[in-house]
Amino acid sequence: SYTVVSGDTLYGISRKTGASLTTLYNENGLSSASIIYPGQVLNVGGQASTPTPAPVETKPAPSTPVVESVSAG
């Protein structure tokens, strides 16, 4: 759940919690015309109040072939 504070918007709450706007609307019986109030508790669909960042996949750098030139002499 998330408790609305002064200045919050549904979009901002969506960004803070990781819940989609659609989830916020559906879980709380809201629409794009709804007004939210400080102190109001919203269900964020089971999302954590602080979203966990997705793991970043790291790939090794491609091998660069070593080219050596040999001079006669």
Side-chain angles (χ1 to χ4, degrees):
S1 65
Y2 178 85
T3 302
V4 177
V5 296
S6 181
D8 271 344
T9 63
L10 287 173
Y11 177 76
I13 294 167
S14 171
R15 301 275 299 184
K16 287 179 189 177
T17 64
S20 70
L21 281 172
T22 302
T23 297
L24 290 176
Y25 293 153
N26 292 342
E27 294 286 327
N28 297 285
L30 302 172
S31 72
S32 60
S34 295
I35 298 173
I36 56 174
Y37 299 95
Q40 184 175 354
V41 178
L42 299 177
N43 184 350
V44 293
Q47 298 289 326
S49 60
T50 304
T52 304
V56 176
E57 182 179 334
T58 56
K59 296 180 182 177
S63 299
T64 305
V66 177
V67 178
E68 295 181 24
S69 52
V70 179
S71 301

